[in-house]
């Protein structure tokens, strides 16, 4: 009624894409419970719960009432806690066009392979010098894919590449002193909102659903 076109969650990009497909009626999931199935990592409990399940069902029902050709309400994630899934998404996207490009991306992201279950350990091992860093590979992959962001699938792959590059920096920064890791994550959240608003065009409005410590002054929260 107020003209909002999307809800953006403090949730990982890739798992939210599956939920977005469901509410638009284009996914393969039978219900919202199944569509929430990719929320496997921290903070899983924030989103894989009955409240979000019911909200997703209400958005799907709302989209069904829209006139043919009208833009559906969208749902996005803006967080960086999906580095392995995002890396896989980039490789799958590139494989549709070039096996060589996909192989190169897989090689660049190979240093994440040992940390699929717990990506935070990647930062600990690289900062201590016990493992190779993905920094250069993640940055190079993002730079290569950045030129093609107009189509929906291209934009999604580019955003996944951003998650990998920024998430890689975030996981390393966790093991350093100061507020660097927090600010890296905040910048990614803010930049994602900016990108989504730009794609929505003039007058686009979004609802942002996040913890208060991200939306205000973190000093006011324990």
């Amino acid at each position: 009624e107020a003209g909002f076109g999307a809800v953006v969650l403090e949730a990982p990009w890739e798992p939210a894409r599956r939920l977005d497909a469901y509410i638009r009626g284009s996914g393969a999931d039978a219900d919202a419970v199944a569509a929430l199935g990719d929320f496997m990592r921290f903070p899983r409990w924030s989103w894989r719960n009955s409240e979000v399940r019911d909200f997703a069902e209400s958005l799907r029902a709302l989209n069904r009432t829209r006139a043919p050709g009208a833009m559906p309400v969208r749902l996005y994630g803006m967080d960086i806690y999906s580095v392995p899934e995002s890396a896989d998404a980039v490789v799958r996207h590139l494989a549709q066009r070039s096996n060589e490009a996909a192989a190169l991306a897989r090689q660049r992201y190979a240093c994440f392979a040992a940390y699929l279950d717990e990506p935070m350990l990647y930062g600990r091992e690289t900062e201590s010098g016990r493992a190779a860093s993905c920094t250069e590979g993640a940055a190079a992959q993002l730079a290569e894919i950045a030129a093609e962001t107009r189509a929906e699938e291209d934009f999604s792959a580019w955003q996944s590449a951003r998650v990998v590059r920024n998430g890689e920096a975030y996981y390393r920064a966790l093991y350093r002193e100061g507020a660097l890791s927090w600010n890296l994550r905040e910048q990614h959240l803010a930049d994602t909102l900016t990108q989504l608003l730009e794609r929505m065009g003039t007058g686009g409005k979004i609802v942002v659903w996040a913890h208060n410590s991200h939306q205000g002054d973190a000093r006011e929260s324990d």
Side-chain angles (χ1 to χ4, degrees), residues 5 30 55 64 71 76 114 116 155 191 202:
F55 180 62
R64 283 177 170 171
M71 292 296 293
Y76 300 101
L116 298 181
F155 173 75
D191 289 346
T202 304

Side-chain angles (χ1 to χ4, degrees), residues 69-84:
M71 292 296 293
V73 173
R74 301 294 300 269
L75 186 144
Y76 300 101
M78 61 177 175
D79 215 339
I80 56 179
Y81 291 131
S82 62
V83 169

Side-chain angles (χ1 to χ4, degrees), residues 84-105:
E85 293 87 351
S86 294
D88 286 344
V90 171
V91 172
R92 290 197 306 271
H93 175 78
L94 293 173
Q96 296 174 3
R97 302 182 177 183
S98 166
N99 289 332
E100 291 183 0
L104 179 57

Side-chain angles (χ1 to χ4, degrees), residues 151-202:
E152 174 80 14
E153 290 303 314
D154 293 330
F155 173 75
S156 294
W158 175 74
Q159 177 65 15
S160 292
R162 282 188 65 241
V163 169
V164 176
R165 195 275 306 274
N166 295 339
E168 187 276 335
Y170 169 78
Y171 286 131
R172 287 188 291 104
L174 283 174
Y175 296 91
R176 301 176 184 175
E177 294 183 359
L180 176 61
S181 64
W182 181 270
N183 290 334
L184 282 171
R185 187 170 168 224
E186 294 301 304
Q187 191 64 59
H188 180 84
L189 301 180
D191 289 346
T192 300
L193 294 177
T194 298
Q195 293 293 333
L196 292 172
L197 282 170
E198 287 181 356
R199 288 186 64 80
M200 292 176 71
T202 304

Side-chain angles (χ1 to χ4, degrees), residues 36 48 68 75 87 108 115 153 155 183 209:
L36 285 162
R48 196 169 175 177
L75 186 144
R108 286 168 169 166
Y115 308 100
E153 290 303 314
F155 173 75
N183 290 334
W209 186 352

